Amino acid sequence: MNSDNLSWLLEDFRRQVPDVRGLILFSADGLPTSFSGMPEDEADALAALGASINSMASSASAHTGSGGVRSTLIESDEAFLMLGQAAERTGLLVVVPASADLELAATAVEQLVSRVGSHLATPARR
């Protein structure tokens, strides 16, 4: 699943942002489209998880009338999971260790999405 032409982009991002342990682009239906810093089985599981969380966050936002969801942050003992929409029908999940500079990592993720987000869209299924 990691054979597309975006692998280089994610690898390059991880090299430039040392606090990022791994990241994955996934389709809205929970399939990984590209990933870096994790084995394929972990990418498969995180893609499904990310799509579910993004869907639930959007539903919660719709039910509360709070507008569109920009991002979701999950804090655990050892890591943060940052989730959001990278492009149309495409989510992004980024894993950073709990010791990371979260603000720096979040800013780098925002810059990545703003620079190349339009190229990250998952094509519609037919």
Side-chain angles (χ1 to χ4, degrees), residues 15-94:
R15 278 191 293 279
Q16 292 179 22
V17 186
D19 283 340
V20 171
R21 191 171 81 201
L23 65 162
I24 179 170
L25 290 167
F26 55 89
S27 63
D29 56 358
L31 299 174
T33 57
S34 191
F35 56 92
S36 175
M38 64 188 72
E40 187 171 356
D41 60 336
E42 186 177 332
D44 288 340
L46 287 175
L49 177 71
S52 296
I53 292 169
N54 277 353
S55 178
M56 286 188 291
S58 293
S59 292
S61 178
H63 287 295
T64 60
S66 56
V69 176
R70 289 192 295 262
S71 65
T72 303
L73 178 68
I74 298 173
E75 181 180 4
S76 65
D77 291 338
E78 301 295 323
F80 292 102
L81 301 179
M82 298 184 299
L83 291 114
Q85 287 300 117
E88 188 174 356
R89 294 179 299 278
T90 305
L92 174 66
L93 184 146
V94 180

